[in-house]
Amino acid sequence: MESNTPPIWSSPEDETPQPPRNAPLRLVRHGATFLGVSVVSGALLAGMALPAVGALGLSAKSTAEGFDDIPDDFKTPPLTQATQIFDANGGLIAKVYERDRTVLTADQMSPLMRQAQVDIEDARFYEHGAVDPKGVIRAISKNAESGTTAQGASTLTQQYVKNVNVEKAGDDQAAVREAQRKTLGRKIQELKIAIKLEEDLSKDQILTNYLNITYYGNGAYGVEAASQRYFGKSNKDLTVAEAATLAGLVQNPSQYDPKAHPQAALNRRNTVLDKMVENGHITADQAKEAKATPLGLNYREPQNGCITAKAGMGFFCDYVRHVVKQDPVFGATAADRKKFWNQGGLNIRTTLDPDKQTAAQNAVSSNVRVTDPVSAAASMVEPGTGKILAMAQTRPYGLDAGKNQTVVNLNADAAMGGGNGFQPGSTFKPIVVAAALEAGLTPTQEYASPNKLEYPTMKTCEGTWKNTTKPKAVVPNESASEQGPYQLKEAMALSVNTYFVQMEQEIGLCAVKQMANKLGIATKASGKPLEELPAMGLGVEEVSPLSMAGVYAAFAANGTYCAPLAVTSITTVDGKDVPVPPAHCDRAFSPDTAKALNTILNGVTETGTGRDLGLEGDRQIAGKTGTSDKKRAAWFSGYTPQLATSVWIGGPNGGVEMRNITINGKYRKEVFGADGPGPIWRDAMNQALHGTPKQTMPMADIPDAPPRKDPNASGSASASGSPAGSPTNARTGGGRTSAPARPPANAPATAPAPAGAPAGAPADGAANASAGQND
């Protein structure tokens, strides 16, 4: 039942002044409203029982029903609170919340604050029940005299019930509006619950709940958040004047906002002080002294969300949010997990190592500028645990595109807040090798490895892939001098494309796909299925830096793959432990395969494309360079026994060809894995590992291939450019191995697309033959 006259329980700020009327008529009008409240309140005056209310469409029986089944969340409502995310050392990364609130117990609250709130909101709170008959009568009289409904008669308990309904509505705006509607039906329900609460809870408990739930403006819910917001201190440290200021806000947080309307807030504070004197809770001298003080604000802007995270940790913070919202440990359904996150009140301890995060952030930022047309990203993972130790990128976390900010985590898959990933190029080739060694091939496996090769027919998990394009799709090597036969070590050092295509043909594409799955790459970064294509092994299927760091961490961990781990523990604000996702590690391949990979990838950094990326102190390292189709992405992924890092550089949306480009103020004709992401990797690893002991990795004894001779030569030179009969990898001074000649800088970047195929991608699903060839 609606009335054109606002009821007396409405908040004063919502009322519209009424035109002057004859006083007796005003008394009749307000008296009628009073009687309406009396009828539904259930216990007015001297314990009056609920009368029949048939005229309202309700009976005493129906009104009284449900008194014994008041939901428990009215007694102890699950209040939303701030969640704090910490790094591995306990440093605060960020504070995130739907509502900034810290729930306190009664003894954690300032007695001054408790008394001030009662004095201004409901001075007879400890004397009346759920309904205050004297308050109703007083409101009728005051409103009649003024010609308005400026004074309400709701008790503090009733206000608390309404606040609980609003809180339960959460971010459902329709439910919030319904909870705030001024209807008789809603008021009846509030009164029923208020009456029951007065039976089940003590006055002190109700007041404590009220002070934790109520809104004080500027995003502060509850007295503790309000104290911190306006005065930068705990509520227990509030002065009389400060407690009065906060107590005065509740009636209308906007109108009495001390930051926006300081004079209105000052006047309201003084009104509260007068009420405290009137009720005998402070002396007149105390009030006089308090009134003589300025507001004394120490206002602190709300610091909410991952955008406030320090030291470039915003993307990792956002990754943690995605973990909570997606892992079934935190709820069976998406709605359950969202509710758990929004509820907050969590202290989340994470795996992020602040020193390694700084190392990674410094490395990407010092090599690629925020304003460059390309970005860089780096992920660090601990071998054997999967712990994410660092997650850095050049573009800062934020929503201002004009400042080159982004909320897309370039290190992560789309499902975890990232984009669609990037072609990893030749950094994917070691996955092919792992599959081949597990299939029984030896580390000295040799293939003809011609300079270019038509993609051969290959077995897939479901059948056969055939090269059906006209002309047939072709994969070339990087330069004309790259012509086999090659054995595995040299083929990896030089990143010979045709070698790895022939290896794929022998073991089948299904084996490569299955090994990728074992190493955490179950899909592309976009979430789309991996495609069984011959160019898979050349790195044409988009992945994320975090995924590649996980792969190389498995190489470092003797073949044990551990899924990326971001959260180590969660406790609630009251100290209760919350279950978190456990570490998940499985053996992807044998220790013997791992030893062979260590040796082969160490060769890349000793004699191959990554030969210039050695670390300080001559630490033993292993890794692989990679450059994708049309130079749109360049990579270096590598590791020591205790740390794996994957670095990517390219256009944030994947569309920037890194030719004739200026990066960090330096012109580049072309960008390769060794000279783009490689130096970032080296800088990050040097800083991250500084002061830590050197460790060695288990290696395999893989003999060098015998010298190769060019069958077309007169006997004076080999195909690789070495003198006939001499080793292709000759030792030089300093204990390092000299690398084979670098490919010419003007080597063709891509092979022509087959007739009828779109540029850069052969028809019938065959990936571009050149993808992954430029390292």
Side-chain angles (χ1 to χ4, degrees), residues 25 222 266 614 673 718 773:
L25 291 178
L266 195 68
S718 69
Q773 73 182 32

Side-chain angles (χ1 to χ4, degrees), residues 470-499:
K470 295 181 180 180
K472 291 188 175 182
V474 173
V475 54
N477 290 332
E478 176 65 23
S479 67
S481 65
E482 288 182 0
Q483 181 170 332
Y486 287 106
Q487 287 191 8
L488 179 52
K489 277 204 308 184
E490 188 178 10
M492 185 67 79
L494 291 171
S495 203
V496 179
N497 289 331
T498 57
Y499 178 94

Side-chain angles (χ1 to χ4, degrees), residues 324-328 330-340:
V324 174
K325 288 194 171 184
Q326 293 192 34
D327 198 295
F330 300 112
T333 67
D336 291 338
R337 296 188 291 272
K338 180 181 179 182
K339 182 179 179 180
F340 175 76

Side-chain angles (χ1 to χ4, degrees), residues 628-651:
S628 75
D629 185 26
K630 297 185 178 180
K631 300 290 192 299
R632 286 178 175 151
W635 296 71
F636 188 81
S637 297
Y639 57 94
T640 65
Q642 66 266 56
L643 183 62
T645 300
S646 183
V647 178
W648 158 90
I649 183 173

Side-chain angles (χ1 to χ4, degrees), residues 533-592:
L533 303 170
M536 172 193 292
L538 305 182
V540 298
E541 307 205 50
E542 296 85 357
V543 295
S544 65
L546 180 59
S547 292
M548 293 308 294
V551 170
Y552 280 71
F555 298 162
N558 296 316
T560 297
Y561 170 76
C562 297
L565 185 68
V567 176
T568 55
S569 68
I570 298 179
T571 57
T572 60
V573 289
D574 55 358
K576 295 179 180 177
D577 290 331
V578 175
V580 298
H584 185 79
C585 300
D586 290 301
R587 179 158 294 285
F589 49 80
S590 70
D592 285 342

Side-chain angles (χ1 to χ4, degrees), residues 8 27 30-31 33-35 37-38 44-45 124 131-145 151-153:
I8 63 171
L27 284 169
H30 291 289
T33 306
F34 162 69
L35 289 175
V37 175
S38 302
L44 273 179
L45 300 177
R124 298 184 64 257
V131 179
D132 181 12
K134 290 184 179 179
V136 173
I137 295 170
R138 182 178 61 252
I140 293 170
S141 177
K142 293 288 185 182
N143 293 341
E145 289 174 7
Q151 182 165 350

Side-chain angles (χ1 to χ4, degrees), residues 359-378 392-396 403-404 410 632-636 647-652 656 658 661-668 671-673 675-681 683-684:
Q361 192 63 50
N362 287 346
V364 295
S365 299
S366 62
N367 285 277
V368 179
R369 297 175 183 174
V370 172
T371 54
D372 284 344
V374 295
S375 293
Q393 66 186 61
T394 51
R395 300 287 168 98
K403 295 181 179 178
N404 296 293
L410 299 175
R632 286 178 175 151
W635 296 71
F636 188 81
V647 178
W648 158 90
I649 183 173
V656 177
M658 292 184 290
I661 191 171
T662 298
I663 301 174
N664 198 32
K666 181 180 178 181
Y667 171 79
R668 307 285 188 90
V671 175
F672 293 89
D675 59 14
I680 298 175
W681 181 90
D683 292 351

Side-chain angles (χ1 to χ4, degrees), residues 225-283:
S227 299
Q228 297 290 350
R229 176 77 73 253
Y230 295 109
F231 297 111
K233 63 174 68 172
S234 170
N235 87 101
K236 292 200 76 171
D237 299 324
L238 294 173
T239 65
V240 172
E242 291 166 347
T245 300
L246 296 184
L249 292 176
V250 174
Q251 186 185 74
N252 193 322
S254 298
Q255 181 178 327
Y256 299 125
D257 181 351
K259 186 170 179 285
H261 307 294
Q263 189 57 51
L266 195 68
N267 294 341
R268 178 66 174 169
R269 178 199 72 178
N270 292 344
T271 298
V272 176
L273 292 169
D274 289 338
K275 284 289 185 181
M276 295 180 76
V277 173
E278 179 183 326
N279 290 294
H281 296 123
I282 61 173
T283 66

